[in-house]
Every structure is written in structure tokens, then in C-alpha cells.
Amino acid sequence: MKLNKVLFGMSFAVTTFAVVAAESAPVIDITKSGSNKNNPSQYASALPQTIAEQLTNLERKLDARNRAQVNVQRQLDELQNEVNELRGVTELHTHQLSQVLNRQRELYQELDRRVTEALKPENNVPAAITAPATSTSDASINYSTNLTENQAYDRAVNLVLKDKQYDKAIPEFQAFNQNYPNSSYAPNAHYWLGQLLFNKTEYLQAKNEFNLVVEQYIDSNKRSDAMLKLAMVEQKLNNSAAAKIWYQKIITQYPDSSAAQLAKPRLENL
């Protein structure tokens, strides 16, 4: 009986030891280790090697970004240099354009002065463009800074002054007045157009041009001359009463003008 108990106890102890040993033993899936089953050191370093690769990739990306920033900064510096050069060129061109415009104003002042002198009755000018002298210098005109506008006015005036092509000058002045209705040359352009039409005996059209000068350009130095021309147009149209009214207005409003000096004897002869 005692012998059976001893054998049972030994059997229980052996069984318990086997179970405990089985539970504490680590289980390794060698199928996942691949070639590392024969190289324990390589398997142990697998995780640290992945971190090193990540650090290497990060350093590579940082280096690429730094190179890109350097390239961008170099491009910005080049663009800034180009902007500075363009600014200098623009300032130079602006200065040169200002000099050209100043010179052109001087030329137009001289041109208008010569036109006025050439159209005085005492000069040897064809009767077709004879006009009364003005009492105010054309230097008071605000000359335009628009090169195209200046060229258009210059072309029309030169057809009268230089080329003596009066018929061709008419459409040039008409085109100028249509294209530049607010030009500082507008009162002069309307006046010279009226003068050219008057000399072609197109009195009604001439009257319209002179009326524009009188009604729309009160401060123009051509206004008194336009009023004198309106009086002359009325005479040509046999409207003596209307002519007298215009002559009297000239003498009253512009007593010291050359137009008034011409109006007085004409008024007396009516």
C-alpha cells in the first residue's frame, strides 16, 4: 500500500515537471526567419538596420530640399538683378522721353508762331489762306504729350504751311477733330478748318467751325478771330444785320485785339 502511494507521487511529480517545462519553453516560427535560422546575429540586427535606412532616407531628403532652396534663392537673386536693370533702363527711357516731349513742345510753339506770322495779311501769302493776325501768342496753348496727337496736328498744319496743299489739309483737320475732340489743339484745328472752308466759299460749313470755337472755347486766343470770321461769313451770305452784331461784339469783348481793329472799318462800311 505504501509502495503504491510512493509510485503515484513520483508519477505525479514527473507529469507536473513535464507540463511546466512545456509551458515555459519559447516557441519560434522558423518559417518566418528565412535564411536567418543559420545566422542568429543577422536576425538580431534586422530591426536596427531598418531604422538606419529610414535615417539615411531622411538625410537624403533633407539634402535634396536644401539644394532646392539654394537653387530657388539663386533664381530670386538673378530675378532681382534683372528687375534692377529694367528699372534703370525704364528711368533712362523716361528721362529721354521727357526731353523729347519738351523739345517737341518748343517746336510746336515755333510752328504755331510761324503759322500765325505766315497768315497775316501783310505777308506774301496766297489770298486763299489770308487770316487776321492774333493778339495773343500761341505759346499759351497747353501742348499735348501724346506723340500720335502731335503728329496728326503737325501733318495737317504742314499741308497748309509747307506744302500749300489746302484741299488735302481739309480732311486732315476734319480727321484730327474727330479723333481728338478734347485736344488742346482743338480750337486751333477748328479755326484753321473753318478758314480753309471759308476760302473755298463753303460758307455754311465754315460757319459751323467758327461757331464751335466761339461757343466751346471761350478762353481760346482764336475766339476773337473766329468771331471776326463769323461776321465776314454773314456778309458773304448777305446778312448785314447779323454781321453788324458780330462786329460790335468783337469791339466790345476784345477792344484791344487785332480782330477789333479789323472789325471797326468793316462795321463803318456796312
Side-chain angles (χ1 to χ4, degrees), residues 130-146:
T130 300
T134 59
S135 59
T136 306
S137 173
D138 283 344
S140 62
I141 299 174
N142 294 322
Y143 291 89
S144 174
T145 58
N146 186 322

Side-chain angles (χ1 to χ4, degrees), residues 190-209:
H190 283 292
Y191 176 81
W192 297 125
L193 177 57
Q195 179 66 44
L196 292 168
L197 293 169
F198 178 88
N199 295 323
K200 288 191 67 176
T201 69
E202 297 179 6
Y203 299 124
L204 293 179
Q205 295 183 46
K207 183 178 179 179
N208 291 335
E209 298 299 326

Side-chain angles (χ1 to χ4, degrees), residues 64 68 219 223 262:
D219 297 328
R223 189 170 185 269
L262 294 171

